[in-house]
Amino acid sequence: MQRFLRIVKWLLIMTVIIVLFFYMGSKVNIEFQKDFPFFHIEDYASQYIYVVDRETEEVIHEKNAQSKAYPASLTKIMTTILTLEHIDDLSAPAPIDTKTQRDMFANNTSMAGFAAGESVTYRDLLYGTILPSGAEAANSLAIHVAGSVENFVEMMNAKADELELDNTHFTNPEGLDHKEQYTTAADMAKLLDYALDNEDFRTVFTKETYQTTSTTAHPDGIMLASTVLSALDKGEQNDFEIIGGKSGTTEQAGENWATLGLVNNREYISIVMGAPLDDISHPNNEQIADTLKLYKNIKSGEL
């Protein structure tokens, strides 16, 4: 009987020790996360993340933010801001370049829907580049601004140097994967923050839909829609709002999103890159889930 009581006693002691261990461990972990927010338990699918408060420049969350990654169509953020800094009249004609339009079609890139040689304006091309991520629009901008894609790429890299995007390099204006075309989540956030100070860029970036001008090929114009804003459910944005964005998806890059969001009337930039992509025809959309989760966690104070 005494032996049985001793066993029960030791079992009770061990149970208390185990309970205390897990309780104290959780307390320490919580305090550790408060003091060192970058060690917050990870539950994001994206490989690379960078979230920054635009007003204070405080980095709210990061994950592999300095690691090189394929930008995919986030490249078009650079294409757009560079164009805006070199074009005075956005209503001026800027026809679709036939050769690059054909090349982009052959590479199965995302297209805005413009016809080869169609006489659209710079404004049409800018919206076509950002909203539906039109590769023919991006390359036509490059041709009109610099005379050739090659010259424009040189300008892109010069701008990257100017902005001290030290881990960024471009080989094309549309975002097709290339071993020498890379960036980081931190560099992309810096680029987007810079671009948003340009009012024309901000207008394009935050537009949900845009009707292009009437042309012979499209008498009623083309209705363009943001690949980011059209993918979001307003009901999922409780106490925050995503007001603009750019998507980018390739098989090597995975799924990327660059967004501008409002939380408590403060602007935040969120960059998520490298979300898993099992089948490009049936995307996982985990970059959307990650983006919403990040903004929710900013609101709740968990970031």
Side-chain angles (χ1 to χ4, degrees):
M1 183 67 177
Q2 289 183 344
R3 183 181 179 187
F4 174 75
L5 290 174
R6 281 199 301 271
I7 292 172
V8 171
K9 177 182 176 181
W10 279 109
L11 285 174
L12 287 172
I13 291 171
M14 290 302 296
T15 301
V16 170
I17 290 172
I18 290 170
V19 169
L20 285 173
F21 175 81
F22 281 105
Y23 173 74
M24 292 304 296
S26 64
K27 292 265 297 179
V28 168
N29 189 46
I30 290 169
E31 293 304 318
F32 188 75
Q33 288 178 28
K34 286 180 181 177
D35 294 335
F36 302 94
F38 294 149
F39 289 90
H40 186 80
I41 295 173
E42 285 290 355
D43 56 354
Y44 300 101
S46 300
Q47 295 183 56
Y48 317 98
I49 297 174
Y50 196 80
V51 182
V52 62
D53 182 327
R54 290 199 73 211
E55 181 179 336
T56 65
E57 299 183 358
E58 178 188 0
V59 179
I60 305 301
H61 185 78
E62 62 178 315
K63 173 184 177 182
N64 301 326
Q66 307 297 336
S67 298
K68 291 179 181 178
Y70 290 111
S73 286
L74 300 192
T75 298
K76 296 184 178 87
I77 294 173
M78 175 63 89
T79 302
T80 300
I81 186 59
L82 197 56
T83 297
L84 285 168
E85 292 181 341
H86 287 83
I87 297 299
D88 294 326
D89 184 5
L90 300 186
S91 297
I96 297 297
D97 181 71
T98 301
K99 181 184 181 303
T100 53
Q101 196 261 11
R102 185 169 58 246
D103 291 342
M104 292 302 101
F105 187 79
N107 279 287
N108 197 32
T109 60
S110 56
M111 307 286 271
F114 297 116
E118 186 173 356
S119 186
V120 294
T121 67
Y122 279 103
R123 183 174 287 104
D124 293 330
L125 292 181
L126 290 164
Y127 278 103
T129 297
I130 291 292
L131 299 193
S133 202
E136 84 277 35
N139 276 271
S140 293
L141 286 174
I143 296 289
H144 291 301
V145 170
S148 71
V149 169
E150 292 75 19
N151 289 344
F152 190 81
V153 169
E154 288 183 11
M155 293 170 63
M156 294 171 75
N157 288 317
K159 191 67 179 181
D161 290 341
E162 177 191 326
L163 296 177
E164 298 182 349
L165 307 181
D166 298 330
N167 294 303
T168 295
H169 188 265
F170 297 105
T171 62
N172 62 63
E174 79 283 335
L176 281 174
D177 292 330
H178 186 285
K179 63 180 181 180
E180 294 301 321
Q181 176 129 324
Y182 53 81
T183 190
T184 67
D187 275 4
M188 193 53 62
K190 185 187 290 188
L191 172 61
L192 179 54
D193 184 55
Y194 169 82
L196 285 167
D197 285 337
N198 182 295
E199 285 303 316
D200 288 321
F201 179 91
R202 185 184 180 93
T203 298
V204 174
F205 192 77
T206 58
K207 194 78 168 176
E208 188 164 359
T209 60
Y210 172 79
Q211 188 87 18
T212 65
T213 53
S214 173
T215 66
T216 302
H218 295 97
D220 297 324
I222 302 172
M223 176 58 73
L224 306 176
S226 167
T227 55
V228 169
L229 298 180
S230 63
L232 291 168
D233 181 350
K234 297 287 187 183
E236 291 184 289
Q237 301 179 53
N238 297 318
D239 299 319
F240 68 88
E241 182 183 9
I242 296 172
I243 61 174
K246 181 72 195 76
S247 64
T249 303
T250 66
E251 290 182 349
Q252 289 182 291
E255 295 187 86
N256 302 341
W257 260 25
T259 58
L260 174 65
L262 286 175
V263 183
N264 296 329
N265 293 318
R266 293 171 72 95
E267 290 188 353
Y268 294 85
I269 286 173
S270 168
I271 308 293
V272 296
M273 303 175 67
L277 182 64
D278 300 324
D279 180 358
I280 200 166
S281 300
H282 301 87
N284 303 40
N285 290 330
E286 292 193 70
Q287 86 285 5
I288 302 177
D290 282 350
T291 298
L292 290 171
K293 193 181 302 180
L294 286 162
Y295 284 113
K296 287 176 183 176
N297 287 341
I298 293 171
K299 177 61 183 178
S300 67
E302 292 185 29
L303 286 184

